[in-house]
Amino acid sequence: GTCGKDGPVADGVSGTSPGDLATYEAIIEGVPAMLWLGDPEGRCVFLNRAQRAFWGVELADMAAFDWTATIHPDDVTALSGPYGAAMETRTGFEVEARYRRADGAWRVLRTRAEPRFDDAGTFVGMTGVNTDVTEQREAETRLQDSNRQLEHALDASRGIGTFVWDLAAGAIRADRRFAATHGVDPDAAARGVPVEVFLEVVEPADMPLVERTMTRLAAEGGPYEAEYRIRVPGRPECWLFSKGAGDRVGAPPSRVSGATIDITDRKAQEQQLELLAQELSHRIKNIFAVVRAMTRMAGREAGAEAAGALGDLAERFAAMGAAYAQITPHARAAVAETTLHALFDTLFAPYRTSGERRIATDGDDRVLSPKAASSLALILHELATNASKYGALSTTGSVVLRHRPEGADLRLDWEETGGPAIDGPPARHSFGSRLIRLSAQQLDARIEEDWTPGGLVWTMRVPMERLS
């Protein structure tokens, strides 16, 4: 366990020139690695400069230095086994253990050593190199801890699985959760399974969507989102939401990483809510129809003077029913597209008096997607409702709605005049106001409000790309 004073050039290099010896010594002393020599009994006979610096040993004190005293007590057994076996069998070995550095810090050293023999074949000790791998092992430990935390979190989520699609190999490597969801053996999925194996369980009706998504990813990379169903034999239908990205954007990626989550319960809730919404919509439309019929009946029974007014009122109820249909999402979904002017005509029909438009519009027409039309219908319906309850339409006032392009946006200006005097913005925001802002967020739109004494001036800017 102690180190002698003789340098490395004293053993096995007799016959070399003094110049060669100086070169060897310069290399061994200057190399940025911790080198050592041991004798046949396992005692250390030389430490180079890097190793002496690690242990804080002076060259003159090496003979008395005992390297075994620096081993961490918990690592003695783990080190002595491989070291003792290598000394007995005269073979090389590799082992890691913690050693106390000169400053008192414990450092993990990886030791690699090979036996040395003289010209007669006699074993004369070990030649070794120590490498400080403390930071590497700490990083590995942190990574393992992070992976364990991720695994625990994914297990707790009950439905999230992760995968990597290797496009060159045409295979998917997946964790056990993703594999289990798709009915694939977890061990096989961890090694990599052909993409087709996972696609076998995709619901045929959803396969075109999945294939389009995969084709785009293979060509362009970038992020993606998709919802699709799978049917594993012997299990109920399962809805999955998948999200991820290729490792390159705008170019064919080498791999796509992503995660899926089971959204079957959410889909069931959405279907239930949709059914309730349809039932509510049906009941409300029936109410409009009944009220309209009752008004017409009253008109027939009333005198000629009241009949006209009641007939006009009945038509307003009909217009309100049509306007209501515009703000019902499932009703809008049945329409491929509409236009801005068609939307205005339907929404503002209840506010016509004897053919006069109390809400005038100004601007060029444009085509709207169903999603954009639904959001705009909610916004404009709430503005008109508020104007009829509190603003210009509650008296003899009027509204002008102007719309025009402004850069990359469509600007809409709603201006009320002739209504009750306004002292300023309302003290609190009603549900309708919150609904307007939520609908605007769905369009990425920006809203400005100016509560002038003459009436509300309301402006919204919508990105053109969100309208189509």
PDB file of all heavy atoms in Angstrom, residues 216-223 246-253:
ATOM      1  N   ARG A 216     -47.372  14.156 -43.721  1.00  0.00           N
ATOM      2  CA  ARG A 216     -46.877  15.535 -43.559  1.00  0.00           C
ATOM      3  C   ARG A 216     -45.650  15.561 -42.670  1.00  0.00           C
ATOM      4  O   ARG A 216     -44.678  16.271 -42.952  1.00  0.00           O
ATOM      5  CB  ARG A 216     -47.973  16.422 -42.964  1.00  0.00           C
ATOM      6  CG  ARG A 216     -47.554  17.885 -42.838  1.00  0.00           C
ATOM      7  CD  ARG A 216     -48.527  18.688 -42.031  1.00  0.00           C
ATOM      8  NE  ARG A 216     -48.608  18.255 -40.638  1.00  0.00           N
ATOM      9  CZ  ARG A 216     -47.691  18.541 -39.723  1.00  0.00           C
ATOM     10  NH1 ARG A 216     -46.611  19.243 -40.030  1.00  0.00           N
ATOM     11  NH2 ARG A 216     -47.833  18.116 -38.487  1.00  0.00           N
ATOM     12  N   LEU A 217     -45.683  14.809 -41.580  1.00  0.00           N
ATOM     13  CA  LEU A 217     -44.537  14.779 -40.668  1.00  0.00           C
ATOM     14  C   LEU A 217     -43.290  14.269 -41.374  1.00  0.00           C
ATOM     15  O   LEU A 217     -42.198  14.813 -41.200  1.00  0.00           O
ATOM     16  CB  LEU A 217     -44.844  13.890 -39.465  1.00  0.00           C
ATOM     17  CG  LEU A 217     -45.660  14.510 -38.336  1.00  0.00           C
ATOM     18  CD1 LEU A 217     -46.062  13.444 -37.336  1.00  0.00           C
ATOM     19  CD2 LEU A 217     -44.874  15.607 -37.642  1.00  0.00           C
ATOM     20  N   ALA A 218     -43.434  13.206 -42.162  1.00  0.00           N
ATOM     21  CA  ALA A 218     -42.281  12.632 -42.856  1.00  0.00           C
ATOM     22  C   ALA A 218     -41.681  13.604 -43.862  1.00  0.00           C
ATOM     23  O   ALA A 218     -40.473  13.577 -44.130  1.00  0.00           O
ATOM     24  CB  ALA A 218     -42.688  11.339 -43.562  1.00  0.00           C
ATOM     25  N   ALA A 219     -42.514  14.492 -44.411  1.00  0.00           N
ATOM     26  CA  ALA A 219     -42.038  15.443 -45.418  1.00  0.00           C
ATOM     27  C   ALA A 219     -41.551  16.751 -44.816  1.00  0.00           C
ATOM     28  O   ALA A 219     -40.565  17.324 -45.285  1.00  0.00           O
ATOM     29  CB  ALA A 219     -43.146  15.731 -46.430  1.00  0.00           C
ATOM     30  N   GLU A 220     -42.230  17.232 -43.759  1.00  0.00           N
ATOM     31  CA  GLU A 220     -41.961  18.579 -43.260  1.00  0.00           C
ATOM     32  C   GLU A 220     -41.485  18.644 -41.817  1.00  0.00           C
ATOM     33  O   GLU A 220     -41.001  19.689 -41.376  1.00  0.00           O
ATOM     34  CB  GLU A 220     -43.239  19.434 -43.373  1.00  0.00           C
ATOM     35  CG  GLU A 220     -43.836  19.489 -44.761  1.00  0.00           C
ATOM     36  CD  GLU A 220     -45.177  20.203 -44.774  1.00  0.00           C
ATOM     37  OE1 GLU A 220     -45.550  20.756 -43.721  1.00  0.00           O
ATOM     38  OE2 GLU A 220     -45.842  20.191 -45.826  1.00  0.00           O
ATOM     39  N   GLY A 221     -41.650  17.583 -41.052  1.00  0.00           N
ATOM     40  CA  GLY A 221     -41.303  17.651 -39.632  1.00  0.00           C
ATOM     41  C   GLY A 221     -42.244  18.591 -38.895  1.00  0.00           C
ATOM     42  O   GLY A 221     -43.415  18.700 -39.226  1.00  0.00           O
ATOM     43  N   GLY A 222     -41.709  19.277 -37.901  1.00  0.00           N
ATOM     44  CA  GLY A 222     -42.508  20.243 -37.154  1.00  0.00           C
ATOM     45  C   GLY A 222     -43.457  19.572 -36.180  1.00  0.00           C
ATOM     46  O   GLY A 222     -43.487  18.347 -36.030  1.00  0.00           O
ATOM     47  N   PRO A 223     -44.276  20.378 -35.477  1.00  0.00           N
ATOM     48  CA  PRO A 223     -45.211  19.838 -34.477  1.00  0.00           C
ATOM     49  C   PRO A 223     -46.469  19.272 -35.125  1.00  0.00           C
ATOM     50  O   PRO A 223     -46.784  19.561 -36.278  1.00  0.00           O
ATOM     51  CB  PRO A 223     -45.540  21.060 -33.622  1.00  0.00           C
ATOM     52  CG  PRO A 223     -45.408  22.213 -34.568  1.00  0.00           C
ATOM     53  CD  PRO A 223     -44.288  21.848 -35.509  1.00  0.00           C
ATOM     54  N   GLY A 246     -41.381  16.532 -35.034  1.00  0.00           N
ATOM     55  CA  GLY A 246     -40.183  15.986 -35.650  1.00  0.00           C
ATOM     56  C   GLY A 246     -38.963  16.741 -35.176  1.00  0.00           C
ATOM     57  O   GLY A 246     -39.057  17.851 -34.657  1.00  0.00           O
ATOM     58  N   ASP A 247     -37.795  16.124 -35.349  1.00  0.00           N
ATOM     59  CA  ASP A 247     -36.568  16.780 -34.871  1.00  0.00           C
ATOM     60  C   ASP A 247     -36.080  17.870 -35.814  1.00  0.00           C
ATOM     61  O   ASP A 247     -35.073  18.517 -35.545  1.00  0.00           O
ATOM     62  CB  ASP A 247     -35.461  15.742 -34.628  1.00  0.00           C
ATOM     63  CG  ASP A 247     -35.143  14.916 -35.872  1.00  0.00           C
ATOM     64  OD1 ASP A 247     -35.755  15.169 -36.926  1.00  0.00           O
ATOM     65  OD2 ASP A 247     -34.293  14.018 -35.786  1.00  0.00           O
ATOM     66  N   ARG A 248     -36.787  18.068 -36.935  1.00  0.00           N
ATOM     67  CA  ARG A 248     -36.474  19.188 -37.822  1.00  0.00           C
ATOM     68  C   ARG A 248     -37.775  19.824 -38.271  1.00  0.00           C
ATOM     69  O   ARG A 248     -38.794  19.153 -38.402  1.00  0.00           O
ATOM     70  CB  ARG A 248     -35.671  18.725 -39.045  1.00  0.00           C
ATOM     71  CG  ARG A 248     -34.213  18.437 -38.739  1.00  0.00           C
ATOM     72  CD  ARG A 248     -33.408  18.336 -40.036  1.00  0.00           C
ATOM     73  NE  ARG A 248     -33.693  17.108 -40.738  1.00  0.00           N
ATOM     74  CZ  ARG A 248     -33.016  15.976 -40.580  1.00  0.00           C
ATOM     75  NH1 ARG A 248     -32.023  15.925 -39.713  1.00  0.00           N
ATOM     76  NH2 ARG A 248     -33.339  14.897 -41.266  1.00  0.00           N
ATOM     77  N   VAL A 249     -37.726  21.139 -38.538  1.00  0.00           N
ATOM     78  CA  VAL A 249     -38.902  21.881 -38.993  1.00  0.00           C
ATOM     79  C   VAL A 249     -38.660  22.338 -40.424  1.00  0.00           C
ATOM     80  O   VAL A 249     -37.614  22.912 -40.731  1.00  0.00           O
ATOM     81  CB  VAL A 249     -39.179  23.102 -38.085  1.00  0.00           C
ATOM     82  CG1 VAL A 249     -40.379  23.881 -38.616  1.00  0.00           C
ATOM     83  CG2 VAL A 249     -39.413  22.657 -36.656  1.00  0.00           C
ATOM     84  N   GLY A 250     -39.626  22.062 -41.321  1.00  0.00           N
ATOM     85  CA  GLY A 250     -39.492  22.480 -42.705  1.00  0.00           C
ATOM     86  C   GLY A 250     -38.632  21.566 -43.543  1.00  0.00           C
ATOM     87  O   GLY A 250     -38.311  21.888 -44.685  1.00  0.00           O
ATOM     88  N   ALA A 251     -38.225  20.419 -42.997  1.00  0.00           N
ATOM     89  CA  ALA A 251     -37.388  19.461 -43.720  1.00  0.00           C
ATOM     90  C   ALA A 251     -37.712  18.068 -43.204  1.00  0.00           C
ATOM     91  O   ALA A 251     -38.195  17.908 -42.085  1.00  0.00           O
ATOM     92  CB  ALA A 251     -35.902  19.776 -43.518  1.00  0.00           C
ATOM     93  N   PRO A 252     -37.444  17.042 -44.029  1.00  0.00           N
ATOM     94  CA  PRO A 252     -37.724  15.677 -43.556  1.00  0.00           C
ATOM     95  C   PRO A 252     -36.957  15.370 -42.271  1.00  0.00           C
ATOM     96  O   PRO A 252     -35.735  15.501 -42.230  1.00  0.00           O
ATOM     97  CB  PRO A 252     -37.237  14.804 -44.718  1.00  0.00           C
ATOM     98  CG  PRO A 252     -37.311  15.688 -45.924  1.00  0.00           C
ATOM     99  CD  PRO A 252     -36.966  17.067 -45.415  1.00  0.00           C
ATOM    100  N   PRO A 253     -37.660  14.984 -41.208  1.00  0.00           N
ATOM    101  CA  PRO A 253     -36.980  14.679 -39.946  1.00  0.00           C
ATOM    102  C   PRO A 253     -36.398  13.266 -39.961  1.00  0.00           C
ATOM    103  O   PRO A 253     -36.787  12.433 -40.793  1.00  0.00           O
ATOM    104  CB  PRO A 253     -38.102  14.792 -38.917  1.00  0.00           C
ATOM    105  CG  PRO A 253     -39.324  14.369 -39.680  1.00  0.00           C
ATOM    106  CD  PRO A 253     -39.116  14.858 -41.097  1.00  0.00           C
TER     107      PRO A 253
END
